[in-house]
Amino acid sequence: MKFEFKNPKAKQSPLYYIISRNRKGHKIRLKYPAGFTIDIKHWNLTKQRVREVKGIPYGSYNDKLKLIEDTAELIFKNNDYFELTPEVVRQKLDAVLNRRNGRKLKGKETDLFKFALELHKNEELRVGEEGAKHLKNSIERLKDFDPHLDWQNINYKLYVDFVNWMNKQTWSKNYCGKQIKNLRKIIGEGFKSDKIDTPVHLTFKTMSEKVYNIYLNEDELTKLYKMKLPKAYERVRDLFLVGCWTGMRVGNFLNIEHRDIDLKKNTISAMVLKGGGKLVLPIHWMLREIIEKYNGLPESVSEQRLNRFIKEICKAAKFNDIVMTEKTISGRKKKIYKEKWEMVTSHTCRRSCITNLHLRGVPLSTIKLISRHETEAQCKEYIKEFLHDEVPQEVMELDFWNNKAVGTKSG
């Protein structure tokens, strides 16, 4: 018995547990789903386990794999082999793992998770799929932590256990903080709806830290624009540049329609994801050329596809300066070294626009009108990142660095 991928040649694939037994001609062949999909590069074939990779819940995944293995072994150990069939084995696995036909049983969700999913639906209607994705992700993480979590389990011990569990997944401090923030949101709404009697969520402390994020300067953006690329990559590059010259959130600039563009007035519009309202911006010269090339904007792509392709494009552009960052992972500070292209994502667009506006001398109060941050302090967070990595010109020009000291006078 072993685990195998459904599509071993794909980048990502569902994982299956392959049961193959034959005793005196009585054959049992069963392909049982592990219940999740992973990148094939994250799989350790020898150990038959998910590798310890930051950013994925490998601990939870491996616990599921062990449970499937142990359950299968007990089924064959505690039953007459010749009375077992593939379907009987499947039914017994489903019963222990709370699944039907290889999937988690619907209708078995606790009231807390039903409430959380309804909250997500309402959030999705309010801010769109992109704006609500973090809440949906947190609901899945809570299910990984405890699929039976319900309102009677809500107490401070839950918070402590959840934080300890997340630290074992080697997630960053900021990612863990987002999960706590959304847990507080769910429980807070539950308190308002009389699901619990006390606002215990207020004692759940969120955690966060400042991390260094890169931006692309105007010379780098121009270099990207001038690159000759295959059509699929060219389309992604041009969409990326739309974000860099508007400063819009990714959910906005990937969903701009032809009717949102007014070339006569030289403006482009979007409905703001957070806070609502309409955003109208002037069209940058590079953006105008992109619009004229496509007679609008290129066909949109998913955020995942954009992130994957833009890294490859930036690698080809030789954005390979070494960037040192520091993150708290599992409660410990760690230095991380990456080439610049590896750190480029859809969020780089917004940072690049805001930082380049700042470098042009645009006042923060004006930048805030473009970025639509609620406060100047929030807007400033996007600007100051670059200051850690660039030496001011007046410091570079000090003759302290190049002139040898003649000597010092003795007293």
Side-chain angles (χ1 to χ4, degrees):
M1 297 191 285
K2 62 180 180 178
F3 292 99
E4 290 183 357
F5 287 106
K6 181 180 180 180
N7 303 308
K9 293 184 179 179
K11 183 178 180 180
Q12 292 185 332
S13 175
L15 194 63
Y16 283 82
Y17 190 50
I18 309 302
I19 297 174
S20 180
R21 295 204 172 189
N22 185 358
R23 188 186 300 174
K24 295 182 180 180
H26 183 60
K27 298 178 181 179
I28 297 177
R29 300 280 189 273
L30 177 61
K31 187 176 180 181
Y32 191 81
F36 58 86
T37 297
I38 60 168
D39 280 358
I40 290 179
K41 66 182 179 182
H42 294 157
W43 180 247
N44 187 318
L45 182 62
T46 304
K47 294 183 178 181
Q48 288 278 285
R49 288 294 184 267
V50 179
R51 298 181 189 277
E52 296 185 5
V53 178
K54 63 180 180 180
I56 64 171
Y58 64 83
S60 174
Y61 287 160
N62 288 332
D63 287 345
K64 290 178 181 179
L65 300 182
K66 188 175 188 306
L67 181 59
I68 293 172
E69 284 178 328
D70 291 348
T71 303
E73 288 295 339
L74 286 172
I75 289 171
F76 284 101
K77 180 180 179 180
N78 297 331
N79 292 274
D80 185 334
Y81 176 81
F82 295 99
E83 290 182 0
L84 292 174
T85 66
E87 188 55 34
V88 169
V89 174
R90 182 188 296 278
Q91 289 173 0
K92 289 181 178 295
L93 281 166
D94 287 346
V96 174
L97 299 171
N98 190 30
R99 297 181 182 181
R100 179 180 291 128
N101 296 326
R103 298 181 179 180
K104 289 184 179 179
L105 282 171
K106 293 181 179 179
K108 288 288 185 179
E109 287 177 337
T110 66
D111 185 63
L112 184 145
F113 285 119
K114 289 178 183 177
F115 182 87
L117 290 170
E118 191 62 35
L119 184 65
H120 169 256
K121 287 180 183 178
N122 294 335
E123 188 82 355
E124 202 170 42
L125 289 172
R126 188 175 68 85
V127 299
E129 183 179 351
E130 179 66 27
K133 71 177 183 180
H134 294 300
L135 179 58
K136 185 177 182 181
N137 176 268
S138 294
I139 294 170
E140 292 303 314
R141 297 293 77 78
L142 279 172
K143 286 183 177 179
D144 289 336
F145 166 66
D146 183 359
H148 307 295
L149 184 65
D150 213 342
W151 298 110
Q152 65 268 22
N153 308 124
I154 303 302
N155 50 41
Y156 190 75
K157 183 178 183 301
L158 161 70
Y159 166 74
V160 174
D161 291 344
F162 187 44
V163 170
N164 289 337
W165 177 81
M166 286 193 292
N167 283 336
K168 291 178 182 178
Q169 314 308 313
T170 65
W171 292 335
S172 72
K173 190 173 187 177
N174 286 340
Y175 184 82
C176 294
K178 286 179 182 177
Q179 309 317 309
I180 296 297
K181 181 180 177 181
N182 284 323
L183 176 61
R184 283 173 56 116
K185 181 183 183 73
I186 294 167
I187 298 173
E189 292 299 319
F191 174 69
K192 292 178 186 177
S193 301
D194 296 323
K195 297 290 185 180
I196 56 175
D197 297 327
T198 57
V200 66
H201 61 288
L202 297 179
T203 66
F204 294 1
K205 185 179 178 181
T206 58
M207 64 283 287
S208 65
E209 64 181 344
K210 302 295 182 187
V211 294
Y212 179 85
N213 290 300
I214 58 99
Y215 77 102
L216 298 182
N217 62 40
E218 293 191 52
D219 289 339
E220 290 169 322
L221 296 178
T222 301
K223 183 176 183 179
L224 284 182
Y225 183 58
K226 292 181 177 180
M227 289 178 71
K228 299 296 183 183
L229 297 167
K231 283 189 177 181
Y233 284 82
E234 182 180 11
R235 178 162 59 107
V236 168
R237 183 271 315 274
D238 290 345
L239 284 168
F240 180 80
L241 290 173
V242 172
C244 291
W245 295 120
T246 62
M248 292 180 183
R249 294 179 173 90
V250 62
N252 281 139
F253 76 75
L254 286 182
N255 291 287
I256 295 172
E257 298 180 14
H258 187 77
R259 56 190 172 184
D260 297 323
I261 302 167
D262 190 334
L263 289 180
K264 289 182 179 179
K265 293 182 179 179
N266 199 48
T267 59
I268 189 165
S269 307
M271 297 305 296
V272 181
L273 286 177
K274 294 184 179 180
K278 188 177 182 180
L279 172 66
V280 182
L281 293 172
I283 296 176
H284 185 273
W285 69 263
M286 193 181 292
L287 176 52
R288 188 178 185 92
E289 290 186 5
I290 291 172
I291 292 169
E292 290 172 347
K293 178 170 66 173
Y294 292 93
N295 190 27
L297 286 178
E299 183 183 349
S300 189
V301 298
S302 68
E303 185 179 354
Q304 291 77 14
R305 184 180 178 86
L306 185 147
N307 286 334
R308 186 170 73 252
F309 276 31
I310 198 60
K311 281 182 172 61
E312 295 177 30
I313 295 168
C314 289
K315 184 178 182 180
K318 300 188 183 305
F319 296 163
N320 51 14
D321 291 346
I322 299 299
V323 179
M324 187 270 285
T325 62
E326 190 175 51
K327 284 186 178 181
T328 301
I329 299 175
S330 298
R332 304 179 70 176
K333 286 275 189 182
K334 291 187 178 181
K335 284 185 179 180
I336 301 169
Y337 296 87
K338 290 185 178 181
E339 293 188 5
K340 189 171 186 178
W341 64 266
E342 295 180 274
M343 300 181 69
V344 178
T345 70
S346 59
H347 300 292
T348 306
C349 301
R350 190 161 164 81
R351 269 193 301 273
S352 298
C353 181
I354 294 172
T355 302
N356 287 323
L357 283 166
H358 171 73
L359 292 173
R360 285 283 193 112
V362 179
L364 189 61
S365 57
T366 303
I367 297 176
K368 176 176 165 288
L369 296 176
I370 297 169
S371 67
R372 285 301 181 93
H373 282 107
E374 292 183 2
T375 66
E376 289 188 7
Q378 290 175 336
C379 185
K380 196 173 181 180
E381 290 297 317
Y382 279 73
I383 295 172
K384 68 179 185 179
E385 300 291 353
F386 81 97
L387 294 175
H388 299 293
D389 202 38
E390 297 182 10
V391 183
Q393 189 62 32
E394 59 267 30
V395 175
M396 290 292 293
E397 292 175 355
L398 289 174
D399 57 6
F400 172 85
W401 312 108
N402 299 314
N403 294 337
K404 294 182 180 179
V406 175
T408 56
K409 294 180 181 180
S410 58

